[in-house]
Amino acid sequence: MENGRLLSLVVLNFEQFWTQSRSSVMAGSLAASAFFHGPGSSPAASARSSKNTTGELPENLSVRGIVAKPNPPPGAMQVKAQAQALPKVNGTKVNLKTTSPDKEDIIPYSAPKTFYNQLPDWSMLLAAVTTIFLAAEKQWTLLDWKPKKPDMLVDTFGFGRIIQDGLVFRQNFLIRSYEIGADRTASIETLMNHLQETALNHVKTAGLLGDGFGATPEMSKRNLIWVVSKIQLLVERYPSWGDMVQVDTWVAAAGKNGMRRDWHVRDYNSGQTILRATSVWVMMNKNTRRLSKMPDEVRAEIGPYFNGHSAITEEQGEKLPKPGSTFDGTDTKQFTRKGLTPKWSDLDVNQHVNNVKYIGWILESAPISILEKHELASMTLDYRKECGRDSVLQSLTTVSGECVDGNTESSIQCDHLLQLESGADIVKAHTEWRPKRAQGEGNMGFFPAESA
């Protein structure tokens, strides 16, 4: 009801302004025509009508019958330079003009039209705009933007907000067209980027962001930064282009010197789980590039935000095997991709390769048959060493299952190793793959698996 009244008020004010503007323009045009004659008239023609009956011309007429003006406008009329004074006979002025005034060359004169004569009444426009703003301000104050529960407030613009008594941060993301892959669903790198974005925004929204990349003020004073040690994720389904996902994240303690961060990703409309993930973070000195203990001051900063809830209860606890190891005596096959080098865009503000980039390098050595017919169901990454700009890496993948017996309907397990060509390990990973679901079984892309 209030919105309808506001719209009616706006339309009424603009109708009044338009009517007043048209009236002002018409009044200005009539006033200008009253003071200035049209192009077909001239002062001389008007003067001829005022000629008296005796045949004498008015005193304000010149020899050629043109009205004399003290200050004629420049370029408005032309006056002959050879004009002479009238002779006198017996003290009386004599007109020596032999031609009649009616046949005299008439120089047209038109008054210039000024811009100011045709301007509308700007006060009406100012009044209309002021009325609109006042009505909008009144309407805004009448609306109640405070929800009954914090969870009822929809994060329309995707900025994120703190919920559940300040222990959980929530942010929404829209899946863009450039974030989907060949199978029309969001890539695992897209989902991992959402996890990283919410982690940083959580620190910023809580007021704990220092001058570093997610570092707190006390960490910045000591040149400490966060580095990820381990990530484990379980993917239930993959969102499609245009889907809205809702990401919840929170933190907890992980031993004496670590911090655990968990995520729970859901579909915004249906509430179905998309992904669950957990990670462990430790501190590293930015100058020495060595791991550091957590100072008590930093623990006092982040301690009030710790939440004991865990997103994944069945955590991967055993040590990840290297590629080449056998799975319970089954046959395996190994794939290698060499010559991987970081690009400038792969580095983050801490001057090392972003942890999401490692996933793409790990999958570089996975056979294309797996990527076409299977989707990633779970992944565990164990980060061993940071990677710099000048590093040259190789990716190793050991596969058991489909590549050996040719059965595309079974699950596949892979062990991955990303290492420097010099031999130092960067990341070890373990992945599990399931066959891509057929049309309508899970993903909202609605396409057969064979069309990927």
Side-chain angles (χ1 to χ4, degrees):
M1 181 66 69
E2 292 295 335
N3 292 332
R5 294 178 56 188
L6 175 61
L7 181 60
S8 303
L9 182 60
V10 172
V11 173
L12 179 61
N13 279 278
F14 270 106
E15 287 180 353
Q16 293 178 355
F17 165 70
W18 177 249
T19 304
Q20 293 292 336
S21 300
R22 293 184 59 186
S23 302
S24 300
V25 173
M26 294 178 61
S29 301
L30 293 176
S33 62
F35 283 97
F36 302 103
H37 299 282
S41 61
S42 66
S46 301
R48 285 197 303 271
S49 62
S50 63
K51 187 175 181 180
N52 55 24
T53 56
T54 59
E56 295 182 358
L57 296 175
E59 294 182 359
N60 60 344
L61 292 181
S62 63
V63 192
R64 304 180 63 85
I66 302 176
V67 178
K69 287 183 176 291
N71 292 318
M77 61 173 59
Q78 298 178 357
V79 181
K80 291 186 178 180
Q82 302 297 332
Q84 299 178 358
L86 292 175
K88 293 183 180 180
V89 178
N90 296 328
T92 305
K93 294 182 180 180
V94 180
N95 189 1
L96 300 179
K97 189 69 177 181
T98 57
T99 60
S100 62
D102 296 334
K103 297 181 179 180
E104 180 64 20
D105 295 334
I106 299 175
I107 302 175
Y109 174 83
S110 60
K113 295 181 179 181
T114 62
F115 174 76
Y116 299 99
N117 293 335
Q118 301 183 13
L119 285 178
D121 189 0
W122 295 106
S123 61
M124 294 299 300
L125 175 60
L126 180 60
V129 173
T130 305
T131 304
I132 293 172
F133 274 99
L134 291 177
E137 183 180 5
K138 181 179 179 181
Q139 182 69 15
W140 183 268
T141 56
L142 292 177
L143 295 178
D144 184 14
W145 287 98
K146 297 180 180 179
K148 297 180 181 179
K149 296 181 180 179
D151 294 347
M152 295 175 59
L153 183 59
V154 177
D155 183 21
T156 307
F157 302 101
F159 296 147
R161 66 190 188 278
I162 301 290
I163 61 174
Q164 296 184 13
D165 298 330
L167 299 180
V168 178
F169 178 78
R170 173 172 293 176
Q171 187 171 2
N172 299 331
F173 295 93
L174 181 67
I175 303 300
R176 312 288 182 176
S177 60
Y178 52 83
E179 295 176 329
I180 62 176
D183 55 0
R184 308 179 190 178
T185 58
S187 63
I188 187 63
E189 290 91 341
T190 296
L191 298 179
M192 292 294 293
N193 283 326
H194 292 168
L195 303 186
Q196 180 172 275
E197 181 70 12
T198 53
L200 294 174
N201 290 338
H202 184 195
V203 178
K204 181 178 180 180
T205 306
L208 297 177
L209 185 63
D211 58 356
F213 195 52
T216 65
E218 291 295 334
M219 293 175 60
S220 301
K221 294 178 182 178
R222 295 164 175 81
N223 293 323
L224 297 177
I225 59 176
W226 289 113
V227 291
V228 61
S229 174
K230 184 178 181 180
I231 292 181
Q232 181 184 358
L233 56 93
L234 302 176
V235 184
E236 300 288 339
R237 52 180 294 270
Y238 287 86
S240 302
W241 173 33
D243 289 350
M244 180 75 74
V245 297
Q246 185 178 81
V247 185
D248 291 352
T249 184
W250 60 94
V251 293
K256 294 180 60 176
N257 299 312
M259 181 186 71
R260 193 186 84 233
R261 177 173 287 277
D262 291 3
W263 296 271
H264 192 175
V265 183
R266 301 180 181 89
D267 184 271
Y268 177 78
N269 295 316
S270 65
Q272 295 180 355
T273 297
I274 294 177
L275 178 147
R276 292 178 293 128
T278 184
S279 61
V280 177
W281 298 74
V282 294
M283 293 186 181
M284 185 178 72
N285 189 286
K286 185 167 56 176
N287 298 329
T288 64
R289 316 307 288 187
R290 294 181 178 273
L291 297 181
S292 173
K293 294 182 178 181
M294 181 182 294
D296 295 336
E297 293 81 1
V298 176
R299 190 181 302 276
E301 281 183 323
I302 64 178
Y305 299 93
F306 283 171
N307 185 354
H309 177 66
S310 180
I312 299 179
T313 56
E314 59 278 8
E315 295 187 17
Q316 180 78 25
E318 63 272 12
K319 186 177 181 181
L320 298 180
K322 282 191 175 183
S325 302
T326 60
F327 296 91
D328 299 330
T330 59
D331 295 332
T332 60
K333 191 172 182 179
Q334 188 170 354
F335 301 86
T336 305
R337 178 68 183 274
K338 296 183 178 181
L340 301 176
T341 57
K343 298 180 294 185
W344 176 257
S345 59
D346 298 331
L347 305 180
D348 57 22
V349 297
N350 291 326
Q351 299 303 312
H352 59 207
V353 175
N354 188 276
N355 63 81
V356 179
K357 182 62 181 178
Y358 294 135
I359 299 176
W361 283 339
I362 288 173
L363 300 182
E364 283 286 337
S365 58
I368 191 63
S369 59
I370 296 180
L371 302 179
E372 286 181 343
K373 301 177 183 180
H374 293 73
E375 63 182 11
L376 185 64
S378 66
M379 172 182 284
T380 302
L381 300 110
D382 188 6
Y383 295 88
R384 313 292 294 177
K385 181 180 176 65
E386 67 175 343
C387 179
R389 181 178 59 183
D390 301 327
S391 303
V392 181
L393 304 94
Q394 60 180 359
S395 177
L396 307 175
T397 297
T398 300
V399 183
S400 70
E402 183 263 347
C403 291
V404 178
D405 55 17
N407 183 12
T408 60
E409 299 300 327
S410 61
S411 300
I412 299 175
Q413 297 186 31
C414 300
D415 282 328
H416 309 269
L417 176 63
L418 189 65
Q419 61 181 188
L420 299 175
E421 288 190 345
S422 60
D425 295 345
I426 300 295
V427 178
K428 290 195 300 181
H430 177 78
T431 58
E432 295 183 4
W433 303 74
R434 58 173 173 254
K436 286 186 177 179
R437 293 163 177 161
Q439 180 175 350
E441 290 186 5
N443 293 334
M444 298 181 65
F446 299 109
F447 65 99
E450 292 78 6
S451 65

